[in-house]
Amino acid sequence: MHKAGFVNIVGNPNVGKSTLMNQLVGERISIATFKAQTTRHRIMGIVNTDDMQIVFSDTPGVLKPNYKMQEMMLAFSESALADADILLYVTDVVENAEKNLDFLEKVRKMTIPVLLLINKIDESNQKELGRIVTKWHELLPNAEILPISAKNKFGTDLLMKRIRELLPESPAYFDKEQLTDKPAKFFVSEIIREKILRYYDKEIPYSVEVVVERFKEDEKKIHINAVIYVERDSQKGIVIGHQGVALKKVSTEARKALERFFDKTIFLEVFVKVDKDWRSSQRELANFGYRPE
Ligand SMILES: Nc1nc2c(ncn2[C@@H]2O[C@H](COP(=O)(O)OP(=O)(O)OP(=O)(O)O)[C@@H](O)[C@H]2O)c(=O)[nH]1
Ligand SMILES: [Mg+2]
């Protein structure tokens, strides 16, 4: 007997969805940072064994869209409700359970198994956790509730065991060698974007997109040219920084992270360009790879 299925991870921004997927897959597939709205796409991470294939999907945190890019992000989150065999709804010990009742209502109506994961329990205590569990039990009576700490790998083995039990009988959906649905270039732009999220404040992280224009790989090294697109001239100045110091720092950090990811020597050149109001342009978003599934 062979088991396979889609295990989709959804929830509000910043609750630890990407951290969890990386732990379950055992690879750093999805970037995770302390800032909300880190994930912008639906990203698959695949776990393969001889008799099983678990296709995890990490998704953007659910939000009320203010511009076109956020509409796309929400579409990715909602697409994960449509094709899941098992849904992992992630919350944490600090968020208000009633923050997003519209989305929750959709989850409540689902007929597939829903596992409600209360993450970051390392930041809570027994008494508080008891209250949170009771609250969620009222909100999602059909969900199985599991307290976890994705960061500390607490409860994640038990979660994997439960997923294996619930996984339907099915042939594999993807090649057994495959670890993700995204090409190498996608990970390059995400790793650069992660450094931008960490290094810049205010609106900058939310106003940039990274496009890889050249990716030339040989046995030992990879040459990469990437462009950081911003929305306005003033943002370009901030990203580059005084005498180029900020951009230099970001590209150095990105290069080191890329060397770890690909295990090769990386030659990275990064340019900054202005693409006016790209976040609100359907055409630009499509160019940047935001396409509904
Ligand atoms: N204390 C604690 N922090 C955690 C845990 N899991 C994740 N975090 C932190 O929570 C923050 C958000 O983590 P992400 O994995 O990026 O969250 P996300 O849900 O993917 O966020 P979006 O992509 O923005 O929706 C990061 O700073 C993580 O280190 C945990 O178990 N305990
Ligand atoms: Mg994420």
Side-chain angles (χ1 to χ4, degrees):
M1 185 185 77
H2 190 276
K3 285 181 151 195
F6 289 86
V7 179
N8 299 349
I9 306 172
V10 298
N12 288 328
N14 215 37
V15 293
K17 299 178 297 299
S18 302
T19 306
L20 176 66
M21 179 162 96
N22 291 340
Q23 288 289 12
L24 296 174
V25 176
E27 301 273 347
R28 289 204 69 215
I29 285 185
S30 202
I31 61 169
T33 80
F34 58 92
K35 288 205 173 84
Q37 298 179 46
T38 293
T39 307
R40 292 179 177 174
H41 293 264
R42 177 170 169 175
I43 305 161
M44 289 180 187
I46 307 172
V47 173
N48 294 298
T49 61
D50 285 344
D51 55 0
M52 201 166 48
Q53 179 170 75
I54 311 175
V55 185
F56 289 103
S57 284
D58 182 25
T59 62
V62 176
L63 42 74
K64 299 230 171 358
N66 289 316
Y67 41 87
K68 272 232 153 52
M69 181 180 71
Q70 291 184 331
E71 283 174 29
M72 297 299 209
M73 288 163 64
L74 183 62
F76 288 132
S77 309
E78 292 188 331
S79 80
L81 296 181
D83 64 11
D85 293 297
I86 302 169
L87 191 73
L88 307 185
Y89 187 95
V90 186
T91 180
D92 66 23
V93 294
V94 290
E95 88 164 345
N96 171 8
E98 279 155 30
K99 189 168 159 190
N100 217 322
L101 289 175
D102 293 351
F103 194 81
L104 212 55
E105 189 50 35
K106 289 182 187 156
V107 173
R108 205 195 331 255
K109 287 186 183 139
M110 298 189 67
T111 51
I112 56 160
V114 175
L115 305 183
L116 188 279
L117 308 177
I118 301 170
N119 190 29
K120 308 190 188 178
I121 59 165
D122 54 285
E123 287 188 356
S124 188
N125 55 54
Q126 275 301 330
K127 200 166 146 221
E128 195 182 65
L129 192 59
R131 268 200 302 274
I132 300 169
V133 169
T134 309
K135 180 88 197 156
W136 278 102
H137 192 67
E138 284 165 19
L139 284 170
L140 286 178
N142 295 329
E144 260 178 60
I145 300 178
L146 295 173
I148 62 166
S149 170
K151 200 162 94 179
N152 299 346
K153 276 194 114 176
F154 182 89
T156 48
D157 288 347
L158 195 68
L159 170 62
M160 267 308 247
K161 181 168 169 279
R162 197 63 193 114
I163 291 168
R164 283 196 296 268
E165 285 165 5
L166 291 167
L167 208 65
E169 225 182 294
S170 161
Y173 291 93
F174 295 91
D175 193 293
K176 282 281 178 95
E177 301 291 300
Q178 204 171 329
L179 181 66
T180 176
D181 62 328
K182 295 277 187 280
K185 269 184 173 184
F186 176 81
F187 296 101
V188 175
S189 61
E190 287 290 271
I191 287 167
I192 297 171
R193 204 165 58 79
E194 179 183 75
K195 300 306 167 201
I196 294 168
L197 276 151
R198 289 183 190 282
Y199 197 71
Y200 300 100
D201 296 326
K202 304 207 178 77
E203 93 283 10
I204 296 290
Y206 305 101
S207 308
V208 305
E209 184 59 56
V210 180
V211 174
V212 177
E213 296 202 325
R214 176 167 178 248
F215 183 91
K216 197 164 167 291
E217 183 169 15
D218 63 33
E219 218 171 296
K220 293 217 175 91
K221 55 190 190 304
I222 310 175
H223 283 268
I224 298 168
N225 291 2
V227 178
I228 299 174
Y229 284 99
V230 290
E231 292 208 304
R232 290 193 295 277
D233 285 323
S234 58
Q235 295 169 340
K236 180 172 171 176
I238 296 170
V239 170
I240 293 172
H242 182 60
Q243 295 184 335
V245 168
L247 185 62
K248 180 103 180 63
K249 164 107 180 152
V250 164
S251 27
T252 304
E253 292 297 316
R255 181 182 51 74
K256 288 187 209 154
L258 288 163
E259 290 189 332
R260 285 193 295 274
F261 187 86
F262 289 104
D263 203 13
K264 288 189 177 178
T265 303
I266 304 283
F267 294 91
L268 175 66
E269 276 188 90
V270 183
F271 308 88
V272 185
K273 290 183 188 171
V274 179
D275 183 352
K276 220 169 166 321
D277 297 326
W278 67 265
R279 292 188 312 186
S280 306
S281 155
Q282 189 89 50
R283 192 176 50 103
E284 284 310 279
L285 285 163
N287 277 341
F288 289 156
Y290 294 85
R291 291 188 191 88
E293 305 190 349

